[in-house]
């Protein structure tokens, strides 16, 4: 594939990635806004009695409440992680099974950005979904993006991708080659 076509294809795919990311972050922020306006200061709202409820929580840490009140460190790690994911997105081929990986990575980036926005604006992350049946930590839509997409990537790496498929990460290869 010639350089011009490669860049056009890459630019188009990245535009789709950005648009999907904007949509996902908007939805996450919208649901958190609803949680703030409808749940904050109120008791939990049961959706499925004894199983699922909506309960407002201000999370000053990260996953499972770790690193409480470590905003700067959490943001720093988040930015580094986002840069690594963006690097992979830029290097990744746009064809076949890699389209699925592209989408999964956009979901992870969107979830990270949604929670980073909360942390920067509010100094905490708004969580509001609670599985009371298994006493699981309260979470939000961004967390769902990250967890589901990470599981999807894990499955792709275990069962779909072969070592040869990851050659695009080799710095010595010709990146304009059709994959």
């Amino acid at each position: 594939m010639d350089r011009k076509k490669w860049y056009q294809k890459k630019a188009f795919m990245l535009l789709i990635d950005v648009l999907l990311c904007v949509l996902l972050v908007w939805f996450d922020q919208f649901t958190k806004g609803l949680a703030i306006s409808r749940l904050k200061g109120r008791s939990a709202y049961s959706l499925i009695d004894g199983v699922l409820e909506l309960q407002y929580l201000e999370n000053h840490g990260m996953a499972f409440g770790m690193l409480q009140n470590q905003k700067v460190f959490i943001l720093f790690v988040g930015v580094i992680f986002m840069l690594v994911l963006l690097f992979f997105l830029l290097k990744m081929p746009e064809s076949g099974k890699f389209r699925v990986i592209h989408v999964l990575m956009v979901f992870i980036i969107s979830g990270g950005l949604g929670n980073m926005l909360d942390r920067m604006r509010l100094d905490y992350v708004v969580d509001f979904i609670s599985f009371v049946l298994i006493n699981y930590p309260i979470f939000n839509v961004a967390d769902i993006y990250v967890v589901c997409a990470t599981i999807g990537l894990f499955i792709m790496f275990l069962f779909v991708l072969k070592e040869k498929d990851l050659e695009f990460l080799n710095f010595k290869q010709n990146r304009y080659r059709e994959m």
Side-chain angles (χ1 to χ4, degrees), residues 52-55 127-131 137-141 144:
L52 181 66
E53 58 187 35
L54 300 178
Q55 179 182 354
D127 289 332
F128 59 93
I129 303 169
S130 177
F131 275 116
I138 299 172
F139 56 97
N140 59 47
V141 172
I144 294 170

Side-chain angles (χ1 to χ4, degrees), residues 101-140:
I101 295 173
H102 249 273
V103 171
L104 293 171
M105 290 181 71
V106 168
F107 269 81
I108 293 171
I109 290 169
S110 299
L113 285 175
N115 284 341
M116 287 173 76
L117 281 172
D118 279 10
R119 219 174 284 292
M120 289 186 291
R121 272 184 326 117
L122 307 169
D123 287 336
Y124 56 85
V125 174
V126 175
D127 289 332
F128 59 93
I129 303 169
S130 177
F131 275 116
V132 293
L133 179 67
I134 58 172
N135 196 25
Y136 193 78
I138 299 172
F139 56 97
N140 59 47

Side-chain angles (χ1 to χ4, degrees), residues 5-15 17 88-94 102:
K5 283 186 180 181
W6 184 88
Y7 279 117
Q8 287 173 340
K9 190 174 184 181
K10 182 63 81 176
F12 179 73
M13 200 60 188
L14 290 174
L15 176 64
D17 291 344
F88 284 116
L89 273 179
L90 292 171
K91 296 251 325 158
M92 191 179 312
E94 288 80 32
H102 249 273

Side-chain angles (χ1 to χ4, degrees), residues 92-103 161 165 168:
M92 191 179 312
E94 288 80 32
S95 58
K97 54 189 139 196
F98 292 104
R99 288 188 181 126
V100 173
I101 295 173
H102 249 273
V103 171
L161 295 175
D165 294 327
F168 71 91

Side-chain angles (χ1 to χ4, degrees), residues 19 27 61 71 95 100 124 153 175 177:
L19 292 174
F27 183 69
K71 175 185 170 182
S95 58
V100 173
Y124 56 85
L153 279 177
R175 68 184 209 186
R177 182 170 52 108

